[in-house]
Amino acid sequence: MFLDLFFPNRCLACEEIISANTILCDICEEKLSFSHFKFDSENPLAQKAKLLFPIEQAYALFIFKEENLAQNLLHRLKYGDQEFIGKHFAHWIFDKIKITEIDEIVSVPLHPKKLKRRGYNQLTLFGNELSKLYKIPINHQLLKRNFHNKAQAQKDKQHRTETESLFSVIENPENKHILLIDDVYTTGNTLASIAWEILKHPNTKVSILVVAMD
């Protein structure tokens, strides 16, 4: 109560005072570029991903656009030490789609050097909250990133394709349907690299869920 009085929660966009446990006022939330996709195999994200690797279902919460509010929130989550935003993304997703027939949720790992520098993986709290809401186990040990590479957004188009052997599967996902989660789907090469490693194992399936689709 004391903190609410002297340090009220404020909208991350317009700084209006808002209720606790929210990050945007109602007016600013309406400005978000929600995709309105279903979690299925026919939406635009699924169609793009199918060109690179076999998937069962796909979903993006936002349509990514430069300089918009969704982009700002993602930047705060990833680089602004505001990991709590991922928890709110998970709740927005839970309010919009049903996820069934998934055995494990798996997030794209950071290389240990990048994890140490940033201090957190922006997908960890997000993934943990999805796991809690949907009652689906999350596995933080399935994947290992083998190389410390530049962020996809900082690469030119030629180098964005250099993702072969970037990841290793260090636990056996045999007979499992894996939901891969990431922050932004750009070229799709990172998720494709992971998916093909998982699909080497017998009777595996892959679906994807991202915060935003470019």
Side-chain angles (χ1 to χ4, degrees):
M1 183 69 69
F2 177 85
L3 290 177
D4 290 342
L5 180 62
F6 290 96
F7 302 98
N9 190 34
R10 293 185 179 273
C11 174
L12 293 181
C14 69
E15 298 191 349
E16 286 292 318
I17 295 176
I18 55 177
S19 60
N21 301 317
T22 59
I23 59 174
L24 296 175
C25 67
D26 292 341
I27 293 174
C28 289
E29 187 170 332
E30 290 179 359
K31 297 177 183 179
L32 288 170
S33 52
F34 289 114
S35 71
H36 305 293
F37 291 168
K38 295 180 180 179
F39 181 58
D40 62 21
S41 61
E42 303 300 326
N43 64 59
L45 175 60
Q47 295 301 312
K48 286 183 69 172
K50 283 180 181 179
L51 298 175
L52 299 177
F53 57 97
I55 67 161
E56 302 298 314
Q57 297 168 301
Y59 179 77
L61 178 63
F62 302 121
I63 302 296
F64 185 84
K65 299 177 182 178
E66 294 288 345
E67 306 299 332
N68 72 356
L69 181 54
Q71 189 270 348
N72 179 269
L73 291 177
L74 280 163
H75 192 272
R76 287 169 177 258
L77 168 65
K78 195 168 183 177
Y79 303 111
D81 199 27
Q82 294 181 309
E83 189 181 7
F84 64 90
I85 293 174
K87 185 175 181 179
H88 293 274
F89 288 162
H91 280 264
W92 282 335
I93 291 170
F94 184 69
D95 288 340
K96 294 178 182 300
I97 62 169
K98 294 182 179 180
I99 298 178
T100 59
E101 300 180 358
I102 297 293
D103 296 302
E104 284 185 346
I105 299 171
V106 174
S107 62
V108 176
L110 296 179
H111 189 274
K113 288 183 179 179
K114 182 174 286 188
L115 181 62
K116 183 177 180 180
R117 184 171 68 247
R118 185 177 297 171
Y120 64 99
N121 183 332
Q122 70 275 10
L123 298 172
T124 299
L125 184 59
F126 171 61
N128 289 347
E129 195 67 16
L130 286 174
S131 174
K132 177 182 175 181
L133 292 169
Y134 286 104
K135 296 180 172 57
I136 300 171
I138 187 162
N139 187 345
H140 293 295
Q141 309 303 320
L142 182 68
L143 300 173
K144 175 186 176 183
R145 186 183 285 265
N146 297 321
F147 306 106
H148 180 48
N149 67 325
K150 292 182 179 180
Q152 289 289 87
Q154 298 174 358
K155 295 182 177 182
D156 59 38
K157 184 175 291 186
Q158 177 181 354
H159 290 94
R160 287 186 186 188
T161 62
E162 296 176 1
T163 54
E164 185 176 1
S165 301
L166 181 58
F167 299 93
S168 294
V169 176
I170 57 177
E171 290 186 2
N172 186 1
E174 185 174 349
N175 300 316
K176 290 182 179 180
H177 185 173
I178 302 297
L179 178 64
L180 290 176
I181 62 171
D182 203 358
D183 47 14
V184 180
Y185 188 100
T186 51
T187 65
N189 289 319
T190 297
L191 289 177
S193 177
I194 295 172
W196 284 116
E197 291 298 318
I198 291 172
L199 292 169
K200 290 177 181 178
H201 298 263
N203 301 316
T204 51
K205 298 178 182 180
V206 171
S207 292
I208 62 172
L209 184 153
V210 297
V211 175
M213 170 185 170
D214 190 349

